[in-house]
Amino acid sequence: VNDSTDYQVYGNSLSQDSTDQAVEETKGQVICYHGKIVTAYYYSTSCGKTTDLEAWGTKKSEQNQYLQSVEVKDKDGDYEKNLPWYRWKAEIPADVLSNLIELNTGKDIGKLQKVEVTKTGAGGVALQICATGDKGSVKVDTENKIRRALGGDGYEIMKGDGTVVASQTLLPSAFITIQKNGDTYVIQGGGYGHGIGMSQNGANEMAKKGKNYIEILTLFFQGVSVDTWKF
């Protein structure tokens, strides 16, 4: 276990009474689906919807049906609608995006002429994009590879609250639309992370509205039970 996105970036925070209490009260409890402990995927922020494992190229099966696309909202709307990463936008010059796509896919398609989402999955996540240049085209499949193909240095991303951050290795998410405006490609997106399983900020917003951990977990992981396990 380390302090990275491999596990949980807790930031070396000191222990707190509230988290110690949560650990004690849920000691030995596990999330189960059909009697087996699940892999409880999570990520930072949703766009109002989650997606399923097809986003990673994994076929649906009886064992992974607890990972479905759900709406992260109540009667007042999306839980995360006021959070910075709920919506974001990037305006990328064509030459910058051309270079990034060549670098990230390893294919020289020449001067970029068109980039489009050619396949979408549950929740509206992009499952495939196609980039066309004057030397050819390249297709990119699955959310992580799409985010990597369109990521890298050289442009800025404006979050929903108006703050601007530099682009990173990965696009914030693959819940995107792409439009061309002159010599600029406009990517509008929502959420931060892969979108499979539980949104951490979504869970936090639900807790603020009085939802308990059972209600939160059974929204993000469909058909599961929270059981006390004898290890």
Side-chain angles (χ1 to χ4, degrees):
V1 177
N2 60 50
D3 185 21
S4 78
T5 52
D6 291 339
Y7 297 96
Q8 171 56 279
V9 188
Y10 69 91
N12 292 312
S13 301
L14 295 175
S15 63
Q16 300 178 50
D17 291 342
S18 59
T19 51
D20 289 346
Q21 180 183 349
V23 170
E24 286 299 318
E25 290 181 356
T26 59
K27 185 183 294 184
Q29 293 186 28
V30 291
I31 309 170
C32 291
Y33 185 68
H34 292 176
K36 294 183 178 180
I37 297 175
V38 306
T39 301
Y41 297 109
Y42 61 87
Y43 57 97
S44 170
T45 308
S46 87
C47 65
K49 294 181 180 179
T50 71
T51 189
D52 59 28
L53 284 175
E54 190 181 6
W56 287 340
T58 302
K59 292 183 179 180
K60 295 179 182 179
S61 70
E62 184 60 34
Q63 289 73 39
N64 62 35
Q65 281 301 294
Y66 66 94
L67 294 168
Q68 299 180 22
S69 176
V70 299
E71 294 185 322
V72 190
K73 69 177 186 180
D74 63 7
K75 60 180 177 57
D76 299 320
D78 293 351
Y79 286 111
E80 295 153 282
K81 61 181 180 292
N82 296 320
L83 300 185
W85 281 116
Y86 172 72
R87 293 288 183 268
W88 50 267
K89 181 170 73 172
E91 298 183 357
I92 313 173
D95 58 341
V96 172
L97 195 55
S98 290
N99 292 336
L100 288 174
I101 290 173
E102 178 182 348
L103 177 67
N104 295 328
T105 66
K107 184 169 183 178
D108 179 11
I109 61 173
K111 185 177 180 181
L112 193 62
Q113 297 174 334
K114 180 172 64 174
V115 184
E116 57 185 342
V117 176
T118 47
K119 185 179 180 181
T120 58
V125 70
L127 296 182
Q128 182 185 79
I129 62 168
C130 183
T132 304
D134 56 13
K135 293 183 182 179
S137 63
V138 62
K139 290 182 178 179
V140 181
D141 296 291
T142 72
E143 67 86 26
N144 186 269
K145 291 180 180 178
I146 289 169
R147 292 167 65 196
R148 188 171 299 276
L150 301 175
D153 297 330
Y155 62 93
E156 294 181 329
I157 298 171
M158 179 178 287
K159 296 188 283 185
D161 63 355
T163 58
V164 176
V165 296
S167 55
Q168 299 178 343
T169 304
L170 297 179
L171 205 64
S173 84
F175 293 85
I176 56 172
T177 61
I178 306 172
Q179 294 181 314
K180 188 176 183 182
N181 183 10
D183 288 330
T184 301
Y185 287 88
V186 181
I187 301 177
Q188 298 198 64
Y192 194 103
H194 51 70
I196 298 168
M198 186 182 75
S199 163
Q200 293 167 288
N201 277 312
N204 189 42
E205 293 302 312
M206 290 177 72
K208 289 178 182 178
K209 299 192 76 170
K211 301 293 184 182
N212 63 41
Y213 72 103
I214 302 292
E215 292 172 307
I216 293 169
L217 292 173
T218 52
L219 170 67
F220 290 108
F221 305 108
Q222 293 283 294
V224 302
S225 59
V226 180
D227 303 324
T228 300
W229 195 267
K230 293 182 179 180
F231 293 94

